Amino acid sequence: MYERYSRQLLFSGIGENGQALLQNKHVLVVGAGALGTGNAEILVRSGVGNITIVDRDYVEWSNLQRQQLYTEEDAKQQIPKAVSAKERLEAINSDVTVEAHIADITPAEMEHFAQGVDLIMDATDNFEIRMIINDAAQKYSIPWIYGSIVASYGISYTIVPGTTPCLHCLIEGIPIGGLTCDTGGVISPVVQLVVGHQTAEALKILTENWAHLRHELLSFDVWTNERSTVNVEKLKKANCPSCGTEPMYPFLRQNQMKSEVLCGRDTVQIRPAANENRDLNMIGERLSKLGKVHQNAFLLQFKTDHNRMVMFKDGRVLVHGTNDATEAKSLYHKFFG
Amino acid sequence: MQLLINGNMTEIPDSIKTIADVKQHFQISNPVVIVEHNGEILEKDSHAVQEIANGDKIEFVQFVGGG
């Protein structure tokens, strides 16, 4: 059964001991976009025993250029990314148990998903969720690996509770002002490079090769050929609310109805305060009198002459065709109550 | 004056005196940027007073959100 891992067994950093360790580990991958699909595929091929992957979105044509687990059929059918990723990952390696969830992780869900996990891979596209990951990772003492990309630029840092500064030490709050909403696009090579750095660190952590961790904040631009590694240990703050001597985990303490403009997509996501499963059939029947309804097992799309909205079973709605949160909220209330 | 910025030797006007001036010169408006000056990480509130000199080595690391 080890034949498929033979090249990894020959590698002195992993070997048979490392392979056995990998098989007993559980990794949570938050996000199944470009970084999420790349990270998950490498971890699954490497033989990590358990993978949980969580994503809030469905596959679109604009994803196919860089999100390596998806096909044209997924985009045509608007399959949720978590569902499609799970199917593809299981086809790649049936030894691995893959659990998939369609969700926009709330703080409470983050605490739930973090239970029993050895490592968290950040493959998200915004700092709100990263700060929630950061607090949960500190609270339950789980290492996590920040990764992010924009245009031809990539950045990654490995956060080990009790040892390194945490994300809150480094950025002191959620950055606002278009950082995640990039209009410069993104190219696939930078995805692969960040994934490579994230998964190399992941394999070191999972095989308990702690001494080989990079310890530096890494950033690079593959187009302008800039590269930098910076030692940020000095930025660890004793009074940090997330990892200091008296931690408060501030980002685990919020739960309310939220609207959020999605990165470069002309889309606003509305997330109701209560996470309740909705009866899509009933809602579809009602809305079919007001516009065009298209449904699959996971979501419902509703189109009027002016708007397109997608509701997921967990009650979230993506309002397409606007970047205005107020307009999106009013459309949400108009059609979904 | 010449500075080694992110590994590239770069010519900048002599009117530039501090790290904050350098940020402004290169239009680095990202509020979340970590600056290393001659191998030393700077605290954010020191950017406006930290003076630079010819030949200094500066690394700017910008946090971005995409994924």
Side-chain angles (χ1 to χ4, degrees):
Chain A
M1 90 190 243
Y2 270 14
E3 174 62 24
R4 71 188 301 152
Y5 305 120
S6 62
R7 301 305 186 271
Q8 219 163 259
L9 295 168
L10 285 168
F11 173 63
S12 63
I14 296 181
E16 280 200 26
N17 283 342
Q19 196 62 49
L21 285 167
L22 287 178
Q23 261 162 8
N24 286 316
K25 295 292 164 80
H26 186 173
V27 178
L28 171 63
V29 181
V30 187
L35 294 178
T37 52
N39 271 304
E41 179 165 346
I42 289 185
L43 295 175
V44 161
R45 285 190 188 277
S46 303
V48 173
N50 285 278
I51 303 278
T52 300
I53 189 159
V54 189
D55 193 277
R56 63 184 180 182
D57 213 344
Y58 59 88
V59 180
E60 292 187 294
W61 286 93
S62 66
N63 301 146
L64 300 183
Q65 159 250 9
R66 68 196 180 286
Q67 302 188 11
Q68 66 191 63
L69 296 175
Y70 308 131
T71 64
E72 293 185 355
E73 202 50 36
D74 296 322
K76 276 183 204 155
Q77 303 284 334
Q78 298 182 316
I79 304 294
K81 291 180 179 180
V83 173
S84 171
K86 176 182 160 73
E87 200 180 296
R88 174 77 181 140
L89 293 168
E90 284 174 340
I92 288 170
N93 190 347
S94 56
D95 286 352
V96 176
T97 305
V98 182
E99 203 183 303
H101 298 275
I102 309 166
D104 181 31
I105 297 187
T106 60
E109 284 169 328
M110 187 66 223
E111 293 203 51
H112 167 72
F113 286 129
Q115 301 307 314
V117 155
D118 298 289
L119 173 69
I120 302 171
M121 302 303 279
D122 164 35
T124 65
D125 63 1
N126 66 86
F127 279 103
E128 254 183 12
I129 181 72
R130 284 192 182 97
M131 293 307 252
I132 295 172
I133 293 174
N134 187 61
D135 274 1
Q138 292 298 329
K139 187 170 176 185
Y140 298 106
S141 203
I142 303 164
W144 73 280
I145 305 177
Y146 162 63
S148 185
I149 46 175
V150 155
S152 52
Y153 179 81
I155 178 167
S156 184
Y157 185 62
T158 306
I159 293 166
V160 182
T163 305
T164 69
C166 76
L167 187 65
H168 204 160
C169 294
L170 300 184
I171 70 174
E172 299 172 11
I174 294 179
I176 41 170
L179 274 181
T180 62
C181 233
D182 179 68
T183 47
V186 62
I187 54 171
S188 215
V190 79
V191 173
Q192 298 294 328
L193 284 165
V194 170
V195 164
H197 284 289
Q198 281 184 288
T199 49
E201 291 284 279
L203 291 177
K204 294 174 203 173
I205 289 172
L206 296 171
T207 59
E208 299 169 9
N209 280 289
W210 298 95
H212 288 281
L213 285 181
R214 192 183 60 239
H215 294 302
E216 283 171 321
L217 175 63
L218 170 72
S219 64
F220 49 84
D221 189 311
V222 287
W223 209 258
T224 60
N225 310 308
E226 286 170 275
R227 185 180 193 279
S228 115
T229 52
V230 172
N231 185 330
V232 290
E233 267 162 42
K234 221 184 99 184
L235 295 177
K236 187 168 171 62
K237 294 182 175 58
N239 61 353
C240 172
S242 295
C243 76
T245 43
E246 287 174 38
M248 306 281 290
Y249 313 116
F251 295 93
L252 295 178
R253 291 161 177 258
Q254 25 177 302
N255 208 354
Q256 53 207 334
M257 176 167 172
K258 260 185 25 179
S259 62
E260 184 188 349
V261 181
L262 298 191
C263 185
R265 295 238 338 245
D266 205 21
T267 298
V268 177
Q269 174 182 263
I270 307 285
R271 188 173 72 189
N275 250 359
E276 274 172 25
N277 272 345
R278 303 287 297 258
D279 184 342
L280 295 182
N281 290 331
M282 203 179 83
I283 293 169
E285 207 182 296
R286 184 158 50 78
L287 289 177
S288 63
K289 292 166 196 142
L290 304 167
K292 226 171 148 186
V293 173
H294 167 84
Q295 247 177 288
N296 65 27
F298 315 100
L299 53 83
L300 173 152
Q301 177 176 265
F302 171 60
K303 258 183 178 167
T304 67
D305 290 343
H306 308 287
N307 304 100
R308 183 165 74 91
M309 282 163 270
V310 171
M311 176 178 253
F312 291 86
K313 264 192 190 159
D314 65 3
R316 282 179 305 117
V317 172
L318 299 182
V319 183
H320 295 290
T322 179
N323 279 321
D324 180 348
T326 313
E327 185 193 352
K329 267 188 205 165
S330 90
L331 285 165
Y332 172 86
H333 289 304
K334 188 169 162 191
F335 293 112
F336 297 99
Chain B
M1 168 163 58
Q2 287 201 323
L3 298 174
L4 190 65
I5 296 176
N6 289 10
N8 295 330
M9 195 54 89
T10 312
E11 185 72 38
I12 60 155
D14 286 343
S15 58
I16 287 174
K17 305 285 184 213
T18 66
I19 291 288
D21 294 341
V22 180
K23 275 166 66 180
Q24 198 174 13
H25 180 70
F26 289 103
Q27 295 175 332
I28 299 174
S29 55
N30 187 336
V32 194
V33 57
I34 286 181
V35 184
E36 190 188 61
H37 182 209
N38 293 334
E40 281 289 315
I41 286 272
L42 301 182
E43 294 288 344
K44 199 165 286 169
D45 45 17
S46 73
H47 294 182
V49 294
Q50 184 78 21
E51 294 190 2
I52 51 160
N54 191 39
D56 278 4
K57 186 172 173 255
I58 301 171
E59 300 281 348
F60 290 110
V61 181
Q62 305 202 50
F63 278 80
V64 295

